[in-house]
Amino acid sequence: MEVYYKSTRGNGETVTASQAILQGLSPDGGLFVPTQIPQLKKSLKELSKLSYQELAYEVMSSFLTDFTPEELKSCIEKAYDSKFDTEEIAPLAEKGGAYYLELFHGATIAFKDMALSILPHLMTVSAKKNQEEREIVILTATSGDTGKAAMAGFADVSGTRIIVFYPKHGVSPIQEKQMVTQKGANTYVVGITGNFDDAQTAVKKMFHDPELNQELAQSGFMFSSANSINIGRLVPQIVYYVYAYATLLREGKIQEGEKINAVVPTGNFGNILAAYYGKQMGLPLDKLICASNDNKVLYDFFSTGVYDKNREFILTSSPSMDILISSNLERLIYRIAGEDSAKCRELMEALSAQGKYEVTDSMRVQLEDFYGNYATEEETAQTIARVFKETGYMMDPHTAVAATVYEKYKEQTGDEKTAVIASTASPYKFTRSVMCALDAKYDAMSDFELVDELNRLTKVAVPKAIDEIRTAPVLHDRVVEAADMPGAVKDILGIQ
């Protein structure tokens, strides 16, 4: 079965998977979605016997149908190798009545590695398939993790350059140090004096600026994206939900076909949308529990049917979720609108013009797969401390937001079925937040003293990604206003 891709705001025109990956965003401003969601081709029992790499092929080959088996298997082999510090790639840790799906065992110790380890390989294959000879400029806004993971993936990949914009005062010190020390002749990092939404909005504008794109083309460049707006980021994320279910089945924790819940800390909506797509493929997921921090725009949406970004932007200890415009929600909106691109376009234009939109009653009914709630900063810190005290398991603030919301969900619903919590980053990435959750005295220590103290307390080895940046020199120190981002891109690419 061939799967093609169309825009959430288009007129039904389709492109191949490789074309969608190469373009990143549709020229009309919409996001690419599959013309149909393929079903799992093997039984759950058969899937439970596969390695992560074999399972990745099973899932991804159903979506990326213009890739040959050899091409896709080669991409998978290059992505999921010794860069990960565990053979399972995404192990499950059973703690305190839930299963934590650890998605942080890759090169940059965050879940973005799961997809960004493979995206550069998918993209270079896509370029060859479509005889694209221009140099691909990956333009990315990051709220902390995507930027480093994307740069690690694309560093020194021939035919590509990557430019990452991040909010200068909106990421953790470790996240920033990881980015500004990134090596690679084709990598560029730019801080902006604004928040993530400012960076993401400016990046989207550049994608759709005809004059800028023409200047790029004349100089032999084309834009593409490594954000989860790129379908090549989203498809690999479906894999680990299938793998989590397969692992539980293989280990006898659940019966074949038994439904489980998935709990996902959510900012840009890509990670939970991948779980939703997994459910559409036939994976027995029941509730998709969407966990927000104090920037609870998604909680309010699921509660009221109104998406409203007109509110204070709050900097929290879980910065990858400090987002008021959840780009991937557009893919869900398109689906619950009956794949009516005119309706989807109307709502997205309202978001752009008034900063809000409201879905219809018939669309709201189709959101019943989801449950939304949020965790305050205080609750997040309490969860980190409580779980560590009870189990000795240390989690990062994003995972703690999810764990907090899961407890609220159980309290409200009494639903005790098996749950998988997406654990999206290593606690070593947020040492100050996690250590201060245990005791305020730790705030007096430096970031790397905190790393050593965390190691002493947990006996969990310090990841290579952290050791590498202790003494690494700062290689990127450019900072611009959000309005000056296009100028920075042209300067980096040497376009006059």
Side-chain angles (χ1 to χ4, degrees):
M1 182 183 77
E2 289 294 309
V3 174
Y4 291 92
Y5 291 82
K6 56 186 176 178
S7 167
T8 51
R9 305 185 200 180
N11 298 311
E13 313 90 336
T14 60
V15 296
T16 62
S18 62
Q19 288 167 334
I21 289 168
L22 207 49
Q23 289 180 46
L25 262 178
S26 172
D28 55 32
L31 306 189
F32 286 115
V33 290
T35 48
Q36 55 200 316
I37 303 281
Q39 295 302 290
L40 292 168
K41 290 182 285 201
K42 288 190 169 155
S43 72
L44 297 163
K45 196 158 194 171
E46 287 173 299
L47 294 173
S48 74
K49 294 171 182 164
L50 303 182
S51 67
Y52 193 90
Q53 293 83 347
E54 290 166 336
L55 205 144
Y57 178 76
E58 284 301 316
V59 173
M60 292 173 65
S61 61
S62 298
F63 281 93
L64 310 180
T65 53
D66 68 325
F67 282 69
T68 67
E70 294 72 29
E71 285 169 340
L72 189 51
K73 283 176 181 172
S74 170
C75 290
I76 288 166
E77 277 166 27
K78 288 173 186 166
Y80 304 113
D81 58 8
S82 59
K83 287 191 293 293
F84 288 82
D85 64 19
T86 172
E87 239 177 85
E88 301 107 305
I89 307 296
L92 279 173
E94 186 179 0
K95 302 287 173 186
Y99 292 91
Y100 290 86
L101 177 62
E102 294 186 343
L103 301 172
F104 52 76
H105 288 275
T108 75
I109 58 175
F111 83 100
K112 307 292 171 79
D113 290 323
M114 302 300 294
L116 284 164
S117 294
I118 195 166
L119 182 62
H121 305 295
L122 295 176
M123 201 167 274
T124 49
V125 170
S126 296
K128 280 185 197 144
K129 274 186 171 309
N130 292 282
Q131 290 82 51
E132 180 52 70
E133 288 176 3
R134 289 174 294 174
E135 194 169 352
I136 301 165
V137 178
I138 307 295
L139 204 57
T140 292
T142 185
S143 54
D145 288 336
T146 289
K148 174 62 183 180
M151 286 189 291
F154 280 94
D156 294 321
V157 170
S158 63
T160 69
R161 295 199 203 184
I162 177 161
I163 305 172
V164 168
F165 292 97
Y166 75 98
K168 176 68 185 159
H169 302 293
V171 300
S172 82
I174 297 279
Q175 283 178 311
E176 182 171 46
K177 189 86 191 279
Q178 280 190 297
M179 286 190 280
V180 298
T181 58
Q182 174 65 48
K183 295 175 189 167
N186 64 337
T187 64
Y188 306 89
V189 184
V190 184
I192 69 150
T193 54
N195 61 40
F196 169 74
D197 287 329
D198 298 327
Q200 181 167 252
T201 300
V203 162
K204 282 184 174 176
K205 264 190 193 155
M206 283 190 267
F207 268 102
H208 303 300
D209 179 337
E211 204 174 298
L212 179 60
N213 277 274
Q214 196 178 346
E215 285 182 75
L216 248 73
Q218 286 167 351
S219 301
F221 298 109
M222 69 169 283
F223 279 145
S224 191
S225 168
N227 281 77
S228 54
I229 51 178
N230 191 317
I231 200 73
R233 261 283 302 275
L234 195 59
V235 169
Q237 290 182 266
I238 302 168
V239 176
Y240 48 74
Y241 292 106
V242 181
Y243 184 71
Y245 191 95
T247 301
L248 289 171
L249 184 57
R250 182 175 65 250
E251 293 179 355
K253 311 286 190 188
I254 55 172
Q255 301 300 308
E256 186 172 11
E258 184 181 331
K259 288 194 167 184
I260 66 169
N261 293 327
V263 191
V264 189
T266 310
N268 221 9
F269 208 74
N271 204 3
I272 198 163
L273 184 71
Y276 175 78
Y277 277 7
K279 181 171 181 173
Q280 302 295 307
M281 289 184 84
L283 191 64
L285 296 178
D286 191 18
K287 266 303 186 230
L288 305 174
I289 299 167
C290 178
S292 301
N293 64 17
D294 278 322
N295 293 291
K296 56 189 179 70
V297 65
L298 286 165
Y299 164 66
D300 292 340
F301 171 68
F302 285 119
S303 304
T304 65
V306 176
Y307 192 95
D308 187 353
K309 76 175 184 76
N310 301 310
R311 62 184 70 206
E312 182 194 356
F313 183 95
I314 302 167
L315 289 173
T316 74
S317 60
S318 46
S320 299
M321 299 158 67
D322 291 346
I323 292 172
L324 295 181
I325 304 172
S326 302
S327 289
N328 269 290
L329 187 62
E330 180 170 343
R331 287 185 165 114
L332 180 65
I333 294 298
Y334 176 74
R335 195 162 175 86
I336 64 173
E339 305 206 336
D340 180 344
S341 54
K343 180 65 179 173
C344 187
R345 196 182 313 118
E346 175 200 315
L347 294 175
M348 295 308 126
E349 283 169 0
L351 180 64
S352 185
Q354 289 100 42
K356 63 190 284 191
Y357 62 80
E358 183 169 7
V359 298
T360 64
D361 289 343
S362 63
M363 289 167 76
R364 270 196 83 180
V365 170
Q366 295 177 72
L367 294 174
E368 284 175 356
D369 284 329
F370 294 89
Y371 164 90
N373 214 319
Y374 74 103
T376 64
E377 283 290 89
E378 191 181 351
E379 289 171 330
T380 303
Q382 285 168 353
T383 295
I384 291 170
R386 176 183 60 78
V387 173
F388 181 68
K389 187 180 173 189
E390 290 173 2
T391 69
Y393 189 68
M394 184 70 87
M395 62 180 75
D396 93 293
H398 302 77
T399 308
V401 166
T404 306
V405 166
Y406 178 52
E407 291 303 319
K408 291 183 179 184
Y409 170 76
K410 284 195 296 183
E411 214 172 280
Q412 284 179 16
T413 65
D415 181 0
E416 293 281 347
K417 71 169 66 70
T418 301
V420 167
I421 296 175
S423 183
T424 53
S426 165
Y428 279 104
K429 205 154 191 170
F430 301 93
T431 48
R432 188 162 303 280
S433 297
V434 301
M435 295 303 286
C436 289
L438 302 187
D439 194 322
K441 71 178 184 187
Y442 289 118
D443 207 22
M445 289 187 177
S446 72
D447 289 307
F448 287 103
E449 283 173 336
L450 290 170
V451 165
D452 294 330
E453 186 66 7
L454 180 58
N455 171 244
R456 189 185 68 76
L457 278 181
T458 62
K459 307 291 186 288
V460 173
V462 177
K464 188 178 161 196
I466 297 296
D467 267 337
E468 281 177 345
I469 61 170
R470 281 182 192 265
T471 55
V474 171
L475 302 174
H476 310 272
D477 58 4
R478 189 188 297 238
V479 180
V480 301
E481 299 284 332
D484 297 330
M485 284 166 58
V489 169
K490 286 167 71 171
D491 184 47
I492 285 165
L493 299 178
I495 298 172
Q496 301 307 315

